[in-house]
Amino acid sequence: MEGNLIEQFVEKKALDAMNTLVSTQSDDEAVRAAVTVSEAFGEAEPFKSIADMSTGLGKKLTLSFERNLELLIQKTWVEKSDEDLKAQVQFQLEEFCKNLETHSYQKAYTPFFSIVDNVVYLMFGSQTKSKEFAEYALRIDPEFGIFWWYMQNLPRNAAWSEPKSRIAIMLGMYFLANY
C-alpha cells in the first residue's frame, strides 16, 4: 500500500509503533507498541487491559473472537466451490483456539494468518488476492483497512517470544472480536 495513503488514516505515532512492534526484541516494548497501534483501531483503553496478562481478559477476548468468527464464517454466503474452505476455516479456528487455551502463542502465530486470510477471502472473494485490495479495503471501510494494514505489516513467520507472539495475535483478535 502506498505509504502516504495509510498516513491519511493512521497517525505517525501508530505507524512508528508498528515498526517498533515488528522490530523490537523487548517484550515490554512490543506491548507498549501494540497498545499504541490499538489506538488506530479506535479506543485503546480496553486493549490496554487485555495486553496486561495479569487481568485474565485474554481468555474473554479469545471467547469473543471465536464466537464472532464462527458467526461470520457460518453466515457468510459463498459460492458452492468455497464450501470446503468454510469447513476448513472452522476447523482451523478450533485448533487455533486450543493453542491459545494452552498459551502456545508461538504455535498459534502462523495459523492466525491463515484463518484471517481465509475469512477475509470468504467475505470479499478473489479481490483479496489482488495488489489493490489493501487500498480498496482502506477506502471502502477505513477501520477494516487499518486492520488489514496491521496484518500485512506483521511478518508471516516470526521466531518471536511467547509474550511478543501473544500481543501481536491479541491485537488482531481484538479488532476482529469487535468488528
Side-chain angles (χ1 to χ4, degrees):
M1 177 182 322
E2 289 291 321
N4 59 1
L5 180 60
I6 193 65
E7 290 170 5
Q8 294 175 26
F9 296 89
V10 178
E11 293 182 20
K12 181 172 179 1
K13 70 179 184 172
L15 296 170
D16 293 343
M18 185 70 214
N19 290 330
T20 299
L21 175 61
V22 171
S23 64
T24 188
Q25 298 298 315
S26 164
D27 294 334
D28 290 338
E29 191 173 26
V31 169
R32 286 190 301 273
V35 169
T36 300
V37 172
S38 75
E39 294 172 9
F41 293 166
E43 193 175 329
E45 277 308 311
F47 186 73
K48 284 181 185 178
S49 297
I50 292 164
D52 180 355
M53 290 183 71
S54 68
T55 65
L57 291 176
K59 183 173 179 140
K60 184 177 179 183
L61 174 64
T62 300
L63 289 172
S64 292
F65 169 78
E66 185 175 20
R67 287 183 190 134
N68 284 0
L69 248 59
E70 282 176 355
L71 184 61
L72 183 64
I73 293 164
Q74 291 168 2
K75 299 297 180 183
T76 300
W77 181 87
V78 296
E79 297 289 335
K80 185 94 170 133
S81 59
D82 288 330
E83 287 294 328
D84 288 342
L85 180 60
K86 280 179 80 167
Q88 177 187 340
V89 175
Q90 185 66 44
F91 176 77
Q92 289 174 327
L93 179 61
E94 291 168 12
E95 293 300 306
F96 172 78
C97 290
K98 286 178 189 175
N99 285 328
L100 295 183
E101 286 174 15
T102 62
H103 305 285
S104 301
Y105 301 106
Q106 288 174 321
K107 190 175 179 181
Y109 182 83
T110 300
F112 183 59
F113 288 98
S114 180
I115 292 166
V116 170
D117 288 347
N118 286 334
V119 168
V120 171
Y121 175 83
L122 291 172
M123 290 170 54
F124 292 96
S126 62
Q127 64 186 334
T128 61
K129 308 291 184 199
S130 75
K131 291 187 301 185
E132 296 82 25
F133 181 69
E135 182 178 335
Y136 170 79
L138 198 55
R139 292 189 187 279
I140 64 157
D141 184 348
E143 284 183 358
F144 181 80
I146 292 168
F147 164 74
W148 193 246
W149 160 81
Y150 170 73
M151 292 300 297
Q152 297 305 302
N153 277 279
L154 291 174
R156 293 293 172 129
N157 296 303
W160 288 345
S161 66
E162 287 288 342
K164 185 171 176 178
S165 298
R166 175 190 180 274
I167 200 67
I169 291 169
M170 290 288 161
L171 183 52
M173 287 173 50
Y174 174 71
F175 176 83
L176 289 172
N178 294 296
Y179 184 64

